[in-house]
Amino acid sequence: MNKPLMAKATAVWLVDNTTLSFKQIADFCGMHELEVQGIADGDVAAGVKGFDPIASNQLDAVEIQKGEKDPRYKLKLKHNPAAEGEEKRRGPRYTPLSKRQDRPAAILWLVKFHPELADAQIAKLVGTTKPTIASIRDRTHWNIQNIQPIDPVALGLAKQSELDAAVQKAAKRKAAEGGAMTDDDRRKLLSTETSLAMSDEPRLPSAIAGLENFSLSRDDDDKPARDDNLDADSFFNLPDADDEDDDDN
């Protein structure tokens, strides 16, 4: 969903000039409902001048009237070419102070397990700079001995979908350049859904492929036929009955 231009200023105007619910304003401006409530209480966006969405041709007055009559109605943003791409991030991602110390570990993980990624892609994923990435690639970082590679998704620095998209884009670029992909590279390109759906059955090495049904035991056809007419005399060397009588005499 595209947000209106100057979303927070638009929310300030809607709070001051309409009776729309906080949820309606939040959905229209791409904000959280509590943030809109903070605007109404004066705790958020203090000093921000309201921006009229009707005068800027982003919202019709009829939409506001519909929303005021029905709290469940969602306002519809008018198409504005200038607002396209407003949500797209430009430049490195902003990283909170509490997670900035985790960025070197995430960079080392990406460099180690996804060397096909360009520095610009890594910088965008974890919100870092190219000099920092270069120092970790060259192992000249001041704390390189104490850095352990950790998945940026596990650290909360990037989303799995963003990482998958970056890896696939790098793979297409590598294929266009004529670079050959190894089996390990192809395994890394599997999406999360595909990898979870794969069977847990181990695969045989290619050197012994085709020997799955080989067995060291002999087949039943090679075994000698069993004679069911065997009697006890065949197992013991018992003397004949006539010889026993001669001995007794």
Side-chain angles (χ1 to χ4, degrees):
M1 173 182 174
N2 290 329
K3 295 191 300 184
L5 293 174
M6 302 176 62
K8 186 169 291 187
T10 301
V12 171
W13 189 92
L14 292 173
V15 168
D16 293 339
N17 296 276
T18 68
T19 58
L20 295 170
S21 66
F22 294 154
K23 179 170 176 48
Q24 287 175 307
I25 298 175
D27 291 341
F28 179 72
C29 298
M31 301 170 63
H32 194 278
E33 185 176 352
L34 294 177
E35 191 174 3
V36 177
Q37 183 177 353
I39 293 176
D41 295 338
D43 298 330
V44 179
V48 176
K49 184 179 179 180
F51 184 70
D52 187 352
I54 299 176
S56 60
N57 197 30
Q58 299 184 93
L59 186 64
D60 287 332
V62 178
E63 287 291 309
I64 295 179
Q65 294 174 2
K66 291 180 180 178
E68 290 176 336
K69 293 178 181 178
D70 184 5
R72 295 173 298 179
Y73 183 79
K74 291 187 177 182
L75 303 177
K76 297 179 181 178
L77 178 68
K78 294 179 65 176
H79 177 68
N80 186 355
E84 292 183 358
E86 184 71 12
E87 290 182 329
K88 293 183 179 179
R89 249 187 314 108
R90 294 177 176 86
R93 177 197 302 272
Y94 171 77
T95 305
L97 292 173
S98 59
K99 294 185 178 181
R100 291 186 182 181
Q101 70 274 8
D102 297 331
R103 286 187 298 192
I107 296 171
L108 183 59
W109 189 91
L110 292 171
V111 169
K112 181 177 180 180
F113 293 102
H114 291 289
E116 70 276 8
L117 291 176
D119 289 356
Q121 290 179 298
I122 298 176
K124 188 175 181 180
L125 279 172
V126 300
T128 186
T129 60
K130 291 184 179 181
T132 303
I133 300 173
S135 64
I136 293 179
R137 283 188 187 275
D138 302 337
R139 303 192 67 82
T140 57
H141 191 275
W142 65 273
N143 196 32
I144 191 65
Q145 300 299 330
N146 299 321
I147 299 176
Q148 297 296 327
I150 304 177
D151 189 344
V153 177
L155 292 173
L157 294 174
K159 297 179 181 179
Q160 185 65 50
S161 58
E162 294 175 338
L163 178 59
D164 292 342
V167 172
Q168 291 175 3
K169 184 177 180 180
K172 291 181 180 178
R173 184 182 66 250
K174 186 175 181 180
E177 294 173 353
M181 293 177 60
T182 63
D183 291 339
D184 203 28
D185 292 336
R186 293 189 182 92
R187 179 183 59 80
K188 294 176 184 176
L189 293 178
L190 290 176
S191 63
T192 305
E193 294 79 3
T194 304
S195 61
L196 291 176
M198 292 179 64
S199 174
D200 294 335
E201 183 180 355
R203 297 178 60 187
L204 290 174
S206 58
I208 60 173
L211 301 180
E212 299 90 342
N213 299 325
F214 179 78
S215 174
L216 294 176
S217 60
R218 300 177 60 184
D219 295 337
D220 294 339
D221 296 341
D222 297 336
K223 294 180 181 179
R226 179 178 176 180
D227 188 359
D228 295 334
N229 297 323
L230 295 177
D231 56 6
D233 293 341
S234 63
F235 292 97
F236 304 99
N237 294 324
L238 298 178
D240 295 335
D242 295 340
D243 295 340
E244 292 179 354
D245 294 340
D246 293 342
D247 292 340
D248 293 339
N249 296 329

